[in-house]
C-alpha cells in the first residue's frame, strides 16, 4: 500500500490531467464534489484534508528561519504577494477577461505558495529550507493578505466579502494546518505513519476538486479553453522567471533563487478554487482558472526541475562542481 501511495504522490501531475479529462468527458459523475453533505461543503472538506497533510509535514523549527535569515524570507514573501497578484491583474487586463475569469485568475495570484513547491524545489536542487519556510509564512499571512490584495485589485468592480474570505481561509487552511502540527508534535508516531499515505490522499483530493470544477464549468471551458489555458501558462511561467530574477537582483545565491522561482510560480490553486466557489458563487467560471492551474503547474514544475537539474545548475550554479565533488 505504501508503494502504491508513493506512486500516486509521485505522478500527481499526470493524475490531475486524467481527472481534468474525466471532468470534461463525464461531468455528471463529479458534480457531488461541489455539493454539501449534512450542510458541510465537500470541496472545503477536501481542501481541509490537503492542508492537514501539509501540517503534518511542517515543524515549528521551519519558522525559525524567519529569525535566522529574515532578509531571505522577507524578499520571498514580498515576491510571493507582489509578483503573482500583479501578473494576474496584467494578464486579466491584457486579455480582457470577463469578470468571472478575472476573479479566478486574481485569486490564484493572491493565494499563498503551493504545497508541492517544496518537492519541486528539492528536485531542482534549490534551497529546500527556504522553500518550506516561504510556504509556511505565506500560508500564515494568507488570511489577511489574500482577501486584502484581492479587494485592492477587483474589489471596486466585483463585489465580494473580504472579511468572509478571511474566515474561510482560517477554517480551510489555518485550522487544519494547526491540527496537523499538533498531531506531529504530540503524536509523532501517528504522524510519521500518516505521512506515508497523506501525499496520495492529497493527490486524490485535489484531483477530485479539479474534476468537479471542470465538470461544472464544462460548457464555458469549451468556449474559452484556449484563452484560459494560455493565461494560466503565462501566469505560471512568468512567475517562475520573475521570482528567479528578483532573487538574483536582490543578491540571493543560486540555490535561494531556485527556491524563490519555484515558490513564486507554484500557487495553492486548490485554495483559490475553494475560495472562488465560496465567495463568487454567482460566477461559476471563477473556479476554472484555479482548477486548470492545479493541473498545469505540477507538469510545468516537473519540467522546470528537469531543466534546473540537467542544464541550468551545471552551467550556471557556481557551487555545482564543488558540491558534486
Amino acid at each position: 500500500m505504501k508503494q502504491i501511495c508513493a506512486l500516486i504522490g509521485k505522478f500527481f501531475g499526470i493524475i490531475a490531467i486524467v481527472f481534468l479529462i474525466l471532468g470534461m468527458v463525464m461531468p455528471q459523475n463529479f458534480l457531488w464534489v461541489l455539493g454539501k453533505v449534512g450542510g458541510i461543503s465537500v470541496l472545503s472538506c477536501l481542501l481541509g484534508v490537503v492542508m492537514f497533510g501539509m501540517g503534518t509535514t511542517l515543524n515549528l523549527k521551519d519558522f525559525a528561519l524567519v529569525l535566522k535569515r529574515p532578509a531571505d524570507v522577507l524578499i520571498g514573501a514580498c515576491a510571493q504577494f507582489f509578483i503573482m497578484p500583479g501578473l494576474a491583474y496584467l494578464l486579466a487586463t491584457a486579455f480582457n477577461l470577463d469578470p468571472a475569469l478575472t476573479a479566478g485568475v486574481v485569486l490564484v495570484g493572491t493565494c499563498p505558495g503551493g504545497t508541492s513547491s517544496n518537492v519541486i524545489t528539492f528536485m531542482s536542487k534549490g534551497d529546500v529550507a527556504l522553500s518550506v519556510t516561504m510556504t509556511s509564512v505565506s500560508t500564515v499571512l494568507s488570511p489577511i493578505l489574500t482577501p486584502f490584495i484581492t479587494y485592492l485589485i477587483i474589489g471596486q468592480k466585483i463585489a465580494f466579502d473580504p472579511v468572509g474570505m478571511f474566515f474561510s481561509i482560517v477554517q480551510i487552511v489555518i485550522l487544519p494546518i494547526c491540527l496537523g502540527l499538533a498531531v506531529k508534535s504530540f503524536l509523532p508516531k501517528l504522524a510519521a505513519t500518516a505521512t506515508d499515505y497523506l501525499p496520495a490522499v492529497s493527490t486524490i483530493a485535489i484531483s477530485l476538486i479539479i474534476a468537479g470544477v471542470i465538470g461544472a464549468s464544462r460548457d464555458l471551458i469549451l468556449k474559452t479553453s484556449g484563452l484560459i489555458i494560455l493565461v494560466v501558462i503565462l501566469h505560471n511561467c512568468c512567475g517562475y522567471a520573475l521570482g528567479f530574477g528578483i532573487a538574483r537582483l536582490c543578491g540571493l545565491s543560486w540555490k535561494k533563487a531556485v527556491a524563490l522561482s519555484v515558490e513564486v510560480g507554484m500557487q495553492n490553486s486548490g485554495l483559490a478554487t475553494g475560495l472562488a466557489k465560496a465567495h463568487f458563487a454567482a460566477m461559476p467560471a471563477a473556479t476554472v482558472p484555479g482548477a486548470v492551474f492545479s493541473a498545469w503547474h505540477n507538469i510545468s514544475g516537473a519540467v522546470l526541475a528537469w531543466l534546473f537539474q540537467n542544464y541550468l545548475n551545471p552551467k550556471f550554479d557556481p557551487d555545482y562542481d564543488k558540491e558534486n565533488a
Side-chain angles (χ1 to χ4, degrees):
M1 180 59 74
K2 288 183 180 180
Q3 292 179 336
I4 294 173
C5 288
L7 286 173
I8 291 173
K10 182 178 181 180
F11 294 103
F12 174 38
I14 296 173
I15 293 171
I17 290 293
V18 170
F19 273 78
L20 187 150
I21 294 170
L22 289 174
M24 290 291 291
V25 174
M26 47 183 72
Q28 67 281 356
N29 292 340
F30 297 98
L31 295 181
W32 59 271
V33 174
L34 303 184
K36 293 184 177 181
V37 175
I40 300 174
S41 168
V42 175
L43 190 150
S44 295
C45 289
L46 290 173
L47 284 172
V49 169
V50 175
M51 292 300 106
F52 173 79
M54 177 182 174
T56 61
T57 66
L58 297 178
N59 196 304
L60 291 177
K61 69 180 181 181
D62 293 332
F63 296 93
L65 203 64
V66 176
L67 300 176
K68 294 179 181 178
R69 291 158 51 181
D72 297 348
V73 178
L74 178 62
I75 292 169
C78 289
Q80 178 72 57
F81 286 108
F82 275 100
I83 290 175
M84 293 304 275
L87 281 172
Y89 172 77
L90 291 174
L91 289 168
T93 303
F95 288 94
N96 194 29
L97 298 181
D98 64 46
L101 291 177
T102 295
V105 171
V106 168
L107 272 176
V108 170
T110 59
C111 277
T115 53
S116 53
S117 60
N118 308 142
V119 177
I120 299 300
T121 298
F122 173 75
M123 292 169 60
S124 302
K125 307 297 183 184
D127 189 329
V128 178
L130 178 60
S131 175
V132 171
T133 302
M134 280 185 60
T135 300
S136 306
V137 169
S138 67
T139 300
V140 170
L141 293 175
S142 64
I144 295 173
L145 292 183
T146 295
F148 176 68
I149 299 173
T150 301
Y151 182 79
L152 286 180
I153 296 176
I154 63 173
Q156 304 304 315
K157 297 179 180 179
I158 304 173
F160 77 100
D161 180 11
V163 177
M165 187 177 289
F166 166 84
F167 286 111
S168 291
I169 297 173
V170 170
Q171 292 171 357
I172 296 172
V173 177
I174 302 301
L175 291 180
I177 284 180
C178 289
L179 181 59
L181 273 168
V183 169
K184 184 169 185 178
S185 299
F186 299 109
L187 300 168
K189 292 183 178 179
L190 177 62
T193 302
T195 52
D196 291 329
Y197 305 98
L198 283 172
V201 173
S202 297
T203 294
I204 298 301
I206 294 176
S207 297
L208 285 171
I209 292 172
I210 292 171
V213 169
I214 293 298
S217 307
R218 176 189 173 188
D219 294 339
L220 181 67
I221 292 171
L222 291 174
K223 293 179 183 177
T224 62
S225 58
L227 178 62
I228 196 58
I229 289 172
L230 175 61
V231 168
V232 164
I233 290 173
L234 288 173
H235 197 188
N236 172 235
C237 293
C238 289
Y240 289 144
L242 290 174
F244 187 89
I246 291 293
R248 295 300 279 171
L249 284 174
C250 291
L252 299 187
S253 69
W254 180 269
K255 283 188 174 298
K256 293 177 183 177
V258 170
L260 208 68
S261 171
V262 175
E263 196 66 32
V264 170
M266 299 188 76
Q267 297 291 88
N268 191 339
S269 44
L271 175 61
T273 302
L275 293 176
K277 174 68 169 60
H279 296 278
F280 297 94
M283 299 185 292
T287 59
V288 173
V292 175
F293 200 101
S294 291
W296 164 255
H297 79 161
N298 286 285
I299 296 170
S300 68
V303 172
L304 183 69
W306 182 87
L307 286 172
F308 272 124
Q309 210 175 105
N310 296 283
Y311 177 71
L312 297 174
N313 290 346
K315 190 169 184 179
F316 298 107
D317 183 0
D319 298 320
Y320 181 83
D321 292 334
K322 185 196 304 181
E323 289 173 358
N324 280 277

